[in-house]
Amino acid sequence: DVKVTQSSRYLVKRTGEKVFLECVQDMDHENMFWYRQDPGLGLRLIYFSYDVKMKEKGDIPEGYSVSREKKERFSLILESASTNQTSMYLCASSYQVATNEKLFFGSGTQLSVL
Amino acid sequence: TQLLEQSPQFLSIQEGENLTVYCNSSSVFSSLQWYRQEPGEGPVLLVTVVTGGEVKKLKRLTFQFGDARKDSSLHITAAQPGDTGLYLCAPRQGKLIFGTGTRLQVFP
């Protein structure tokens, strides 16, 4: 089975800190995604990547950046954390860009910014 | 950012009851996926529907894609506590986007 691993389950940071959220997948998937999940808003796409060193903005990229130096690893960076970035962050991967591609998700990182 | 409306937002029922949840949009989609997210976990794919009017069954779950491919429904027969979770629709038209979700609680 595909495994998508997010490095932290819970994270507490202070306003202004630089935050790194790490995601690793073990199935050689081309595509990786970062979503945030907030009550009543569903999952919103922050950034995605179709290949190493490639990145594309999603719907809400402001305040975030990403890094994909290796195929299996996709990092989400909060340059200067703010309280409105308190959220559940979900990483996902998929094999190829296709209409019916199946996304495999990690278990999520609950980030609290104080 | 496009938001896909799912209804109801919350549903709390007793074991054995039937229920239907809906996913609606004004846009036409090439296909649509349904995911279930259990507490403390990421979403897991349940089904993909592709053709307008298509019906797919997964044990006690019945998924239907609207004729015009703008909406979808999920019907659960004889709900069980194991069905508890957040149900998310994810229509496809280019990148993957998600609906707002229906949170289902089934009590024994």
Side-chain angles (χ1 to χ4, degrees):
Chain A
D1 280 349
V2 173
K3 191 166 185 181
V4 178
T5 304
Q6 294 184 230
S7 55
S8 303
R9 195 63 182 258
Y10 301 96
L11 213 51
V12 180
K13 297 291 181 181
R14 296 209 174 271
T15 302
E17 279 192 75
K18 190 169 186 176
V19 182
F20 293 87
L21 301 183
E22 306 287 347
C23 176
V24 177
Q25 50 93 6
D26 65 359
M27 282 300 289
D28 202 35
H29 280 176
E30 304 291 333
N31 310 314
M32 296 189 76
F33 307 82
W34 275 106
Y35 290 88
R36 65 176 282 177
Q37 184 174 29
D38 301 285
L41 296 178
L43 275 70
R44 292 180 291 167
L45 183 62
I46 304 172
Y47 267 97
F48 58 102
S49 169
Y50 289 143
D51 202 351
V52 176
K53 297 190 186 295
M54 301 285 287
K55 61 183 179 183
E56 296 284 343
K57 292 181 180 180
D59 296 319
I60 52 164
E62 295 78 19
Y64 303 94
S65 62
V66 290
S67 173
R68 195 167 181 199
E69 295 296 318
K70 294 185 178 181
K71 191 175 186 179
E72 68 270 20
R73 186 180 297 270
F74 193 35
S75 303
L76 180 69
I77 304 156
L78 286 67
E79 296 291 342
S80 178
S82 63
T83 55
N84 62 14
Q85 292 178 309
T86 291
S87 186
M88 170 68 79
Y89 290 87
L90 289 162
C91 175
S93 71
S94 69
Y95 176 59
Q96 61 183 3
V97 178
T99 302
N100 300 328
E101 67 180 299
K102 174 181 178 180
L103 262 62
F104 294 86
F105 283 87
S107 297
T109 296
Q110 180 63 53
L111 173 67
S112 297
V113 182
L114 307 178
Chain B
T1 302
Q2 180 180 5
L3 283 180
L4 296 148
E5 292 299 320
Q6 289 186 240
S7 59
Q9 190 174 1
F10 300 99
L11 196 53
S12 182
I13 61 172
Q14 292 293 129
E15 182 176 3
E17 291 185 39
N18 301 331
L19 66 116
T20 303
V21 300
Y22 301 92
C23 173
N24 294 293
S25 173
S26 57
S27 302
V28 176
F29 299 105
S30 54
S31 65
L32 185 143
Q33 296 178 329
W34 283 92
Y35 288 76
R36 178 169 66 206
Q37 184 178 17
E38 297 182 10
E41 299 297 328
V44 174
L45 180 67
L46 296 173
V47 77
T48 301
V49 286
V50 179
T51 307
E54 181 178 3
V55 176
K56 279 193 174 178
K57 292 194 174 184
L58 186 66
K59 296 183 181 178
R60 293 174 294 99
L61 279 60
T62 302
F63 303 85
Q64 183 163 8
F65 200 13
D67 291 339
R69 290 184 286 121
K70 293 182 178 182
D71 53 81
S72 182
S73 64
L74 158 59
H75 181 79
I76 302 179
T77 303
Q80 298 178 2
D83 297 325
T84 292
L86 179 68
Y87 288 82
L88 295 158
C89 68
R92 298 305 306 278
Q93 192 64 20
K95 63 187 177 188
L96 186 65
I97 56 175
F98 285 84
T100 51
T102 292
R103 191 166 296 280
L104 172 65
Q105 178 81 51
V106 182
F107 292 97

